Amino acid sequence: MSFRIFNPFQIIYNIFRQRPAELFFVEAQKRHIGILARLPLSSGMLTGKLSKSSIFEKDDHRFFNRHGEAFDRGETFSGVDYDVALEVVEQLRQLVPMGMTMTQFALKWILMDPAVTCAIPGAKNPKQAEENIKSSELPPLPDSLMKKIKEIYNGSVRQLVHQYW
């Protein structure tokens, strides 16, 4: 089967922002619209490298826009409260398969969705870029693991942001 994708669309989609998959992705597929998953690592939160003691520079949106002070709060950490997001990351960290980083896990989860054309993660150096690229080469996450990720989202994140975006 062959089809053409027209007018790719960028949308925030990650483990903390799952609502687009419910209706938008279905409609995009029907219309052969490509999905470019923006902020796939939720402003770095889903890398597992942030902590309560992380410090952000004053010109970094993670410093000045946590509650939407400068622009839509959903842009920073996908709208999830920083401390809540850290707790959820710890739950997710327990699910990361051996041989996979937290970053690769978060990216692989996105790439598992057949509607997603690609994810657009940032990288500050070549090592991060290589880590990101390797996520596409890793084996699929098992259905049982995908279900556990959904359960964590439904139990800890959904009620906080799902209705907004």
Side-chain angles (χ1 to χ4, degrees):
M1 176 173 86
S2 67
F3 64 91
R4 294 177 15 187
I5 294 179
F6 298 96
N7 301 321
F9 189 87
Q10 287 189 37
I11 191 165
I12 297 174
Y13 182 61
N14 58 54
I15 292 174
F16 290 162
R17 183 74 71 81
Q18 296 188 23
R19 186 175 183 186
E22 288 183 359
L23 178 61
F24 184 80
F25 285 11
V26 174
E27 292 301 317
Q29 283 186 297
K30 285 180 189 175
R31 292 166 173 76
H32 305 292
I33 295 172
I35 300 295
L36 307 178
R38 190 165 80 79
L39 294 171
L41 300 173
S42 189
S43 306
M45 183 60 72
L46 290 169
T47 66
K49 297 174 185 172
L50 301 180
S51 69
K52 287 186 185 241
S53 62
S54 293
I55 298 172
F56 304 105
E57 298 295 322
K58 290 189 180 193
D59 63 346
D60 186 328
H61 72 99
R62 297 174 295 181
F63 176 82
F64 65 81
N65 196 59
R66 287 194 187 175
H67 306 286
E69 296 90 339
F71 49 87
D72 185 61
R73 73 180 180 93
E75 294 281 323
T76 306
F77 306 120
S78 303
V80 179
D81 176 79
Y82 189 80
D83 291 329
V84 171
L86 288 173
E87 291 172 15
V88 174
V89 165
E90 287 309 311
Q91 292 176 55
L92 293 168
R93 191 184 309 277
Q94 305 307 310
L95 304 178
V96 177
M98 293 285 288
M100 188 179 285
T101 67
M102 183 77 189
T103 296
Q104 291 167 338
F105 175 74
L107 291 172
K108 190 65 179 184
W109 177 87
I110 290 168
L111 297 173
M112 295 283 296
D113 194 309
V116 173
T117 305
C118 73
I120 313 171
K124 291 184 177 181
N125 56 56
K127 184 178 176 183
Q128 287 180 354
E130 290 171 11
E131 178 184 12
N132 294 344
I133 291 166
K134 285 181 184 175
S135 65
S136 67
E137 300 167 356
L138 294 168
L141 300 175
D143 290 342
S144 59
L145 187 53
M146 295 295 281
K147 183 179 177 185
K148 288 178 184 177
I149 295 167
K150 187 66 161 183
E151 288 170 0
I152 290 171
Y153 173 79
N154 285 337
S156 300
V157 177
R158 183 183 185 99
Q159 70 276 11
L160 302 174
V161 298
H162 194 81
Q163 69 278 14
Y164 296 117
W165 305 282

